[in-house]
């Protein structure tokens, strides 16, 4: 708790380029939270290196992601926007929590199985203990709530288990976090395989809408979106392609699926795809313009990186000092 507000942590990996699912399912939801919560938003670049990265590309993508946070509307004064790698407490706490996490718990993590299948030539220990680093991210700031998608609930559950186990041994050290799930846009699906989540790493370039895609590219991708053959715009599970397009339209416009069905009752799929594409392109244009403006202002972004990094370190160290004392590490001589 800080100044009467509950604590909130979330973050995104600095790999690839943010896509529409990241924006509608997470980033756009974040914009509404700073008045109610004390928010820490990390560019989680420590997580990124479980897969081999080109160093120069990783640095650029990390800076671009931090800039996109601000371009999308996150106020860097109200929210602590920082690089995970600039706060050593993440890695320190992760090691300590590794010693309170069981192999069987990590063996059950579906993300490890999925990523191991995709990167069979690099199944490293970091990939296996990734959920413990995620737990450290959350617990480091005594987070009360964590915005998560439904597919990330397993990671939040193991975080809660680790925190409760530590508290049972050492007393009331960690806040036990709860999930925050946005009402709309929580899971945006692929435009080419609408039963699969939209991903920035999808090999099919038409499957995902990226935040920096230009207007014509966005329209073209929506026109090619996979649907079905009956030409009825109905929000049904058995029509995953159309349901996904309705979800996207609702997340951007704020309308309900029922309102969307009524609005397009007399339209065909072509008209509906175009309408969804246009509303998405129009909504992303201000974000893109702001990103390009911010990218030119190197001193401003550097100032945010420095100030918010210092703030994140201050609060991280408060937790870390408590944890180190509890487990029995000797205090530093000052």
């Amino acid at each position: 708790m800080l100044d009467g507000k509950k604590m909130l942590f979330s973050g995104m990996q600095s790999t690839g380029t943010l896509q529409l699912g990241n924006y509608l399912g997470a980033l756009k939801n974040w914009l509404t939270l700073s008045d109610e919560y004390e928010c820490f938003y990390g560019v989680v670049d420590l997580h990124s290196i479980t897969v081999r990265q080109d160093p120069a590309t990783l640095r650029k993508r990390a800076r671009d992601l931090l800039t996109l946070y601000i371009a999308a509307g996150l106020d860097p004064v109200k929210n602590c926007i920082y690089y995970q790698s600039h706060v050593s407490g993440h890695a320190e706490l992760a090691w300590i929590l590794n010693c309170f996490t069981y192999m069987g718990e990590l063996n059950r993590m579906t993300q490890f199985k999925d990523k191991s299948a995709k990167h069979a030539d690099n199944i490293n220990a970091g990939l296996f203990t990734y959920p413990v680093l995620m737990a450290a991210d959350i617990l480091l700031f005594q987070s009360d709530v964590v915005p998560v998608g439904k597919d990330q609930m397993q990671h939040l559950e193991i975080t809660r288990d680790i925190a409760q186990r530590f508290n049972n041994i050492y007393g009331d050290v960690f806040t036990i976090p709860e999930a925050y799930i946005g009402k709309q846009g929580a899971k945006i699906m692929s435009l080419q395989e609408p039963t699969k989540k939209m991903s920035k790493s999808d090999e099919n370039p038409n499957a995902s809408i990226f935040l920096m895609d230009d207007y014509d590219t966005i329209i073209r991708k929506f026109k090619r979106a996979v649907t079905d053959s009956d030409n009825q715009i109905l929000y049904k599970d058995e029509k995953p392609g159309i349901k996904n397009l309705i979800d996207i339209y609702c997340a951007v416009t704020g309308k309900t699926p029922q309102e969307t069905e009524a609005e397009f009752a007399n339209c065909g799929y072509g008209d509906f795809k175009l309408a969804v594409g246009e509303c998405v392109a129009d909504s992303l244009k201000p974000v893109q313009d702001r990103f390009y403006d911010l990218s030119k202002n190197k001193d401003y972004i550097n100032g945010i990186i420095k100030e918010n990094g210092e703030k994140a370190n201050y609060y991280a160290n408060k937790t870390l000092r408590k944890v180190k004392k509890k487990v029995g590490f000797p205090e530093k001589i000052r």
Side-chain angles (χ1 to χ4, degrees), residues 82-98:
Y82 72 101
Y83 292 138
Q84 182 190 34
S85 61
H86 285 192
V87 180
S88 61
H90 286 278
E92 288 187 76
L93 184 57
W95 169 251
I96 295 170
L97 296 183
N98 268 321

Side-chain angles (χ1 to χ4, degrees), residues 30-316:
W30 294 357
L31 306 183
T32 66
L33 300 175
S34 62
D35 289 336
E36 185 177 356
Y37 299 101
E38 185 69 30
C39 301
F40 290 79
Y41 294 119
V43 173
V44 291
D45 44 356
L46 295 180
H47 286 286
S48 301
I49 63 169
T50 58
V51 177
R52 295 286 178 263
Q53 305 291 336
D54 173 73
T57 302
L58 182 62
R59 276 190 289 271
K60 182 180 185 306
R61 285 176 172 169
R63 190 178 181 92
D64 285 350
L65 179 56
L66 186 140
T67 304
L68 264 174
Y69 282 178
I70 302 166
L74 284 180
D75 184 340
V77 175
K78 288 185 176 181
N79 306 278
C80 186
I81 301 167
Y82 72 101
Y83 292 138
Q84 182 190 34
S85 61
H86 285 192
V87 180
S88 61
H90 286 278
E92 288 187 76
L93 184 57
W95 169 251
I96 295 170
L97 296 183
N98 268 321
C99 302
F100 294 85
T101 306
Y102 299 132
M103 295 287 287
E105 292 173 312
L106 294 175
N107 277 324
R108 290 194 291 272
M109 295 292 106
T110 56
Q111 189 179 67
F112 173 70
K113 297 171 185 175
D114 293 342
K115 285 201 171 185
S116 295
K118 289 180 182 178
H119 304 281
D121 60 337
N122 182 27
I123 304 174
N124 56 72
L127 190 62
F128 186 64
T129 60
Y130 182 105
V132 185
L133 178 56
M134 186 176 285
D137 298 339
I138 295 166
L139 299 176
L140 195 61
F141 298 109
Q142 302 292 349
S143 306
D144 296 281
V145 294
V146 184
V148 292
K150 293 177 182 177
D151 59 327
Q152 294 175 314
M153 284 300 297
Q154 192 181 37
H155 285 147
L156 183 59
E157 287 165 5
I158 194 174
T159 297
R160 288 169 54 86
D161 290 342
I162 294 168
Q164 287 168 340
R165 183 174 301 131
F166 195 95
N167 286 356
N168 288 340
I169 299 170
Y170 296 109
D172 189 16
V173 178
F174 293 121
T175 300
I176 307 301
E178 302 286 345
Y180 174 92
I181 299 175
K183 293 181 180 178
Q184 285 190 328
K187 196 169 185 180
I188 302 300
M189 312 305 283
S190 164
L191 296 183
Q192 294 299 306
E193 296 180 67
T195 57
K196 185 179 77 172
K197 190 176 177 182
M198 186 178 286
S199 170
K200 57 187 175 182
S201 60
D202 199 308
E203 294 180 0
N204 187 337
N206 293 312
S208 302
I209 302 294
F210 298 103
L211 260 63
M212 302 309 294
D213 280 346
D214 61 38
Y215 185 92
D216 290 341
T217 300
I218 292 171
I219 298 299
R220 184 178 69 251
K221 288 181 178 181
F222 273 106
K223 284 183 175 179
R224 294 176 178 175
V226 170
T227 50
D228 52 60
S229 59
D230 72 8
N231 217 33
Q232 288 184 300
I233 299 165
L234 298 173
Y235 192 73
K236 293 183 175 181
D237 289 339
E238 56 267 30
K239 294 167 68 69
I242 288 297
K243 183 181 179 184
N244 185 41
L245 293 179
I246 292 174
D247 277 334
I248 293 170
Y249 188 75
C250 291
V252 173
T253 64
K255 295 180 180 179
T256 67
Q258 293 73 31
E259 289 170 338
T260 304
E261 286 179 342
E263 181 180 353
F264 294 97
N266 298 317
C267 296
Y269 284 175
D271 290 338
F272 181 54
K273 289 180 182 181
L274 179 60
V276 178
E278 287 176 340
C279 82
V280 168
D282 290 343
S283 72
L284 292 183
K285 183 66 163 57
V287 177
Q288 295 170 351
D289 290 345
R290 177 71 171 145
F291 173 82
Y292 290 126
D293 287 342
L294 288 168
S295 297
K296 296 173 187 174
N297 196 339
K298 183 178 180 180
D299 290 343
Y300 173 70
I301 297 298
N302 286 348
I304 289 168
I305 292 168
K306 182 177 184 296
E307 290 170 18
N308 282 355
E310 290 172 353
K311 179 180 178 180
N313 269 299
Y314 172 77
Y315 286 102

